[in-house]
Amino acid sequence: MAAKSNLTNMALCLTAVCLVCAAILGAVYSVTKAPIENAAAAEAQASIAKVLPEGGEISGELQAEAEGIDGYYVQADGEGAVVAYAVKTTAGGFGGPLTLMVGVLPDGSVYNTSVLSHSETPGLGAKCTDEKSHFREQWKGFSGELAVSKDGGDVDAITASTITSRAYTKAVAQAVSLVRAIEGGEALDSVSGASVNKEEE
């Protein structure tokens, strides 16, 4: 004889289905967690290598309470002198957050940049990922005014993508500001007014 359909039976069935689904999701998460973390770490290391000079020792990730800064790394030579910094920094682009890894030398000049993630429009703002484009090439050794030319700076914007270009430039400026604060021994980041913890180095 078939069970009568009532509210109690439906609630029990729904609960059982939810428990089974939760168990499956939990199992999938536990199996995929380590590979995802390893892939993210490998991607971070590859992006760091792209934006720093070759050689030297690279620190673990350090934290700074500064606007748009998601962490940074210090590259030192064999005697412990700082060679460069790799700064992970985020600014709001046209389609959402634009996250970069920016290599900055102790004098505040940009060594190179790399795009970690973005949500920019394909064919327009997404051109910021093209490493061979003029927009990306200009960042190698850049030490000019950190603003797009339309705003009085020295950065040539991507054609028809001023918002993305401004976001990219802001992310780079945040990284440079952090390095200048660290190198200058300042207690505060000049852009955000947030504290920089030098003791973590």
Side-chain angles (χ1 to χ4, degrees):
M1 183 172 142
K4 289 184 179 179
S5 177
N6 57 41
L7 185 60
T8 303
N9 287 343
M10 288 191 296
L12 289 173
C13 286
L14 186 58
T15 301
V17 169
C18 289
L19 289 174
V20 170
C21 289
I24 291 171
L25 288 173
V28 170
Y29 173 77
S30 64
V31 169
T32 59
K33 182 174 184 256
I36 289 171
E37 288 177 349
N38 291 339
E43 183 182 357
Q45 289 302 316
S47 66
I48 291 168
K50 283 182 182 178
V51 302
L52 293 179
E54 290 185 12
E57 300 266 333
I58 299 173
S59 72
E61 184 175 1
L62 304 171
Q63 297 298 319
E65 295 177 5
E67 178 187 354
I69 303 299
D70 304 318
Y72 70 100
Y73 304 80
V74 180
Q75 182 185 34
D77 63 19
E79 298 177 357
V82 174
V83 174
Y85 298 83
V87 184
K88 185 178 179 184
T89 172
T90 300
F94 181 77
L98 174 64
T99 302
L100 311 179
M101 187 70 76
V102 182
V104 185
L105 301 181
D107 65 2
S109 61
V110 178
Y111 186 79
N112 201 0
T113 64
S114 177
V115 179
L116 297 180
S117 64
H118 74 91
S119 302
E120 302 306 280
T121 307
L124 293 172
K127 289 180 180 178
C128 70
T129 62
D130 182 0
E131 295 182 15
K132 295 181 180 179
S133 68
H134 170 69
F135 179 77
R136 287 289 297 280
E137 286 288 335
Q138 72 182 321
W139 292 109
K140 295 178 181 178
F142 187 90
S143 59
E145 182 68 28
L146 283 164
V148 297
S149 54
K150 185 180 283 189
D151 299 332
D154 296 322
V155 177
D156 293 330
I158 301 168
T159 303
S161 299
T162 305
I163 294 175
T164 300
S165 302
R166 283 177 175 146
Y168 202 107
T169 303
K170 180 180 179 184
V172 173
Q174 290 168 170
V176 170
S177 176
L178 174 70
V179 170
R180 285 180 175 158
I182 293 170
E183 284 293 311
E186 299 172 19
L188 298 177
D189 183 318
S190 61
V191 166
S192 67
S195 61
V196 176
N197 188 349
K198 293 192 69 173
E199 295 179 0
E200 291 183 358
E201 295 182 30

